[in-house]
């Protein structure tokens, strides 16, 4: 039964021993994480001969063609340890898996390559990451997860930058920080030195989840969405973005012209009112001028009619 389970599952956990407080914790953790990995319990006689246990009861994880024993003093809480160890040490990484790795609290060292490209640079980086994951597991497994990703499209959206392929990037999925290479990686020792520099703070973290970074993320996502729509379907993009802009432009033009017409009408009303007020005193002064000058201005007599001419 054990050999059958080991052939079917790449990662699985086994509780060895009888009733104990550790078993109660194990059952509680298994009920929470059963959808993510596999849990079993067995007696000591079931496990293979190559498995050596210092004390009983014990919790083991079988993966990467070996096994690891839970140590409460070094590994801390059982649930956190299981959540960290439920992945293989080296993975083919995609966007969904990166989201899941965020719960482990580990940094993810990824070789970003083009799997269709068989050049030395692409294959060398992948083999270096695999070598570090295998040979330095005891040194880094509590802090790092290793893997490779085919293509840089997802990484570019995550970093809001254009990464050259091939390269290595270390992601902190819990706070969206990332670390870029500070040296050329020629062998596993260079990669180990780069990881140690990250752990001691020599390499500066970029990105993050600050307010400024969130605003940049909103602008970047909007820009990426618009560009992708126009690339995939230019006509649909023109319709989706052109129609709302046309409606908004017509509304703005209508509001502007309405305000302009109202202002012109009010201005004309003010001008006509001021003209009428200024015209009134002028006419009154014209009527009063002849009365005051009656003695000085002679009266102009109209022409005589025909009867008067005949009398004369």
């Amino acid at each position: 039964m054990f050999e059958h389970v080991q052939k079917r599952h790449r990662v699985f956990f086994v509780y060895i021993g009888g009733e104990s407080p550790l078993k109660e914790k194990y059952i509680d953790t298994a009920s929470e994480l059963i959808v993510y990995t596999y849990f079993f319990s067995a007696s000591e006689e079931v496990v293979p001969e190559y498995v050596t246990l210092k004390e009983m009861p014990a919790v083991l994880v079988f993966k990467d063609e070996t096994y690891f024993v839970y140590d409460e003093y070094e590994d801390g809480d059982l649930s956190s340890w299981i959540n960290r160890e439920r992945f293989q040490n080296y993975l083919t990484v995609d966007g969904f898996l990166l989201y899941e790795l965020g719960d482990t609290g580990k940094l993810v060292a990824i070789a970003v390559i083009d799997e269709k490209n068989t050049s030395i640079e692409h294959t060398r980086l992948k083999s270096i990451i695999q070598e570090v994951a295998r040979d330095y597991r005891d040194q880094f497994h509590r802090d790092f997860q290793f893997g490779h990703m085919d293509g840089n499209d997802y990484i570019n959206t995550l970093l809001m930058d254009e990464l050259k392929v091939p390269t290595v990037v270390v992601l902190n999925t819990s706070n969206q920080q990332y670390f870029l290479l500070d040296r050329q990686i020629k062998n596993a020792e260079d990669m180990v030195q780069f990881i140690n520099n990250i752990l001691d703070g020599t390499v500066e973290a970029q990105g993050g989840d600050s307010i400024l970074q969130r605003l940049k993320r909103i602008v970047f996502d909007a820009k990426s969405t618009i560009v992708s729509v126009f690339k995939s379907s230019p006509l649909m993009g023109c319709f989706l973005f052109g129609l709302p802009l046309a409606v908004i432009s017509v509304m703005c033009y209508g509001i502007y012209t309405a305000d302009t017409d109202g202002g012109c009408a009010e201005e004309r009303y003010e001008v006509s009112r001021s003209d009428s007020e200024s015209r009134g005193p002028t006419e009154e002064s014209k009527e009063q001028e002849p009365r005051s000058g009656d003695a000085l201005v002679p009266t102009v007599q109209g022409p005589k009619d025909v009867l008067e001419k005949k009398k004369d």
Side-chain angles (χ1 to χ4, degrees):
M1 183 67 177
F2 180 86
E3 292 176 355
H4 176 70
V5 170
Q6 196 169 24
K7 290 178 180 178
R8 289 191 61 187
H9 306 303
R10 295 179 178 179
V11 180
F12 63 96
F13 295 85
V14 181
Y15 172 83
I16 307 296
E19 298 296 328
S20 68
L22 181 61
K23 185 175 183 179
E24 294 179 0
K25 294 179 181 179
Y26 179 78
I27 293 174
D28 292 339
T29 304
S31 62
E32 294 177 3
L33 302 176
I34 191 65
V35 295
Y36 300 113
T37 187
Y38 301 92
F39 296 90
F40 301 92
S41 63
S43 60
E44 188 176 2
E45 294 78 15
V46 172
V47 296
E49 295 181 355
Y50 64 83
V51 176
T52 57
L53 299 175
K54 297 180 180 180
E55 58 182 13
M56 296 284 292
V59 177
L60 294 80
V61 57
F62 290 86
K63 64 176 183 178
D64 301 326
E65 299 179 354
T66 184
Y67 72 96
F68 304 95
V69 183
Y70 166 69
D71 188 334
E72 184 176 1
Y73 297 102
E74 292 186 1
D75 299 319
D77 181 61
L78 177 63
S79 177
S80 300
W81 178 77
I82 291 177
N83 198 36
R84 291 195 304 268
E85 297 295 335
R86 64 187 176 93
F87 298 99
Q88 290 180 283
N89 200 32
Y90 185 89
L91 299 165
T92 301
V93 182
D94 56 17
F96 178 75
L97 187 56
L98 273 179
Y99 176 79
E100 284 193 313
L101 290 173
D103 296 333
T104 64
K106 291 183 177 181
L107 301 176
V108 187
I110 304 174
V112 185
I113 61 174
D114 184 0
E115 291 189 332
K116 297 179 182 178
N117 192 326
T118 58
S119 63
I120 297 177
E121 283 296 320
H122 290 258
T123 56
R124 182 173 58 84
L125 276 181
K126 181 179 177 180
S127 62
I128 288 174
I129 295 292
Q130 288 175 331
E131 182 180 350
V132 173
R134 180 184 64 252
D135 298 342
Y136 294 87
R137 186 193 185 284
D138 294 337
Q139 184 176 349
F140 297 130
H141 80 279
R142 285 186 174 87
D143 301 308
F144 280 86
Q145 181 73 46
F146 299 92
H148 75 273
M149 176 176 285
D150 183 20
N152 61 349
D153 293 337
Y154 184 82
I155 290 293
N156 288 343
T157 59
L158 195 64
L159 274 56
M160 297 183 290
D161 197 2
E162 186 75 21
L163 282 184
K164 294 182 180 179
V165 178
T167 187
V168 174
V169 60
V170 177
L171 302 175
N172 187 341
T173 54
S174 61
N175 60 6
Q176 298 184 357
Q177 288 184 341
Y178 60 92
F179 303 86
L180 299 178
L181 290 176
D182 62 344
R183 65 190 66 240
Q184 186 177 2
I185 303 299
K186 296 181 179 179
N187 48 46
E189 287 72 21
D190 291 336
M191 187 65 201
V192 170
Q193 184 61 44
F194 175 57
I195 292 175
N196 287 327
N197 290 344
I198 292 175
L199 293 176
D200 61 25
T202 305
V203 180
E204 183 180 358
Q206 303 182 43
D209 55 357
S210 62
I211 296 177
L212 179 60
Q213 289 294 324
R214 292 177 184 178
L215 293 176
K216 289 176 62 177
R217 170 69 58 186
I218 293 173
V219 174
F220 179 82
D221 290 342
K223 179 181 176 182
S224 301
T225 302
I226 294 173
V227 171
S228 63
V229 169
F230 275 97
K231 282 185 177 180
S232 60
S233 179
L235 293 178
M236 181 63 71
C238 293
F239 176 77
L240 290 177
F241 297 100
L243 182 61
L245 288 176
V247 173
I248 293 172
S249 299
V250 171
M251 292 177 62
C252 293
Y253 177 76
I255 294 172
Y256 173 75
T257 54
D259 292 342
T260 304
D261 293 343
C264 291
E266 185 177 355
E267 184 178 355
R268 287 195 298 269
Y269 173 75
E270 293 292 338
V271 171
S272 61
R273 182 179 177 183
S274 61
D275 290 344
S276 61
E277 290 178 353
S278 61
R279 194 176 302 155
T282 305
E283 292 178 352
E284 290 178 359
S285 61
K286 287 182 179 179
E287 291 177 356
Q288 293 174 0
E289 283 177 359
R291 294 177 184 176
S292 58
D294 283 344
L296 299 175
V297 180
T299 302
V300 179
Q301 296 180 354
K304 296 180 178 180
D305 56 8
V306 180
L307 293 177
E308 291 180 345
K309 286 181 178 181
K310 287 182 178 180
K311 287 180 181 181
D312 293 338

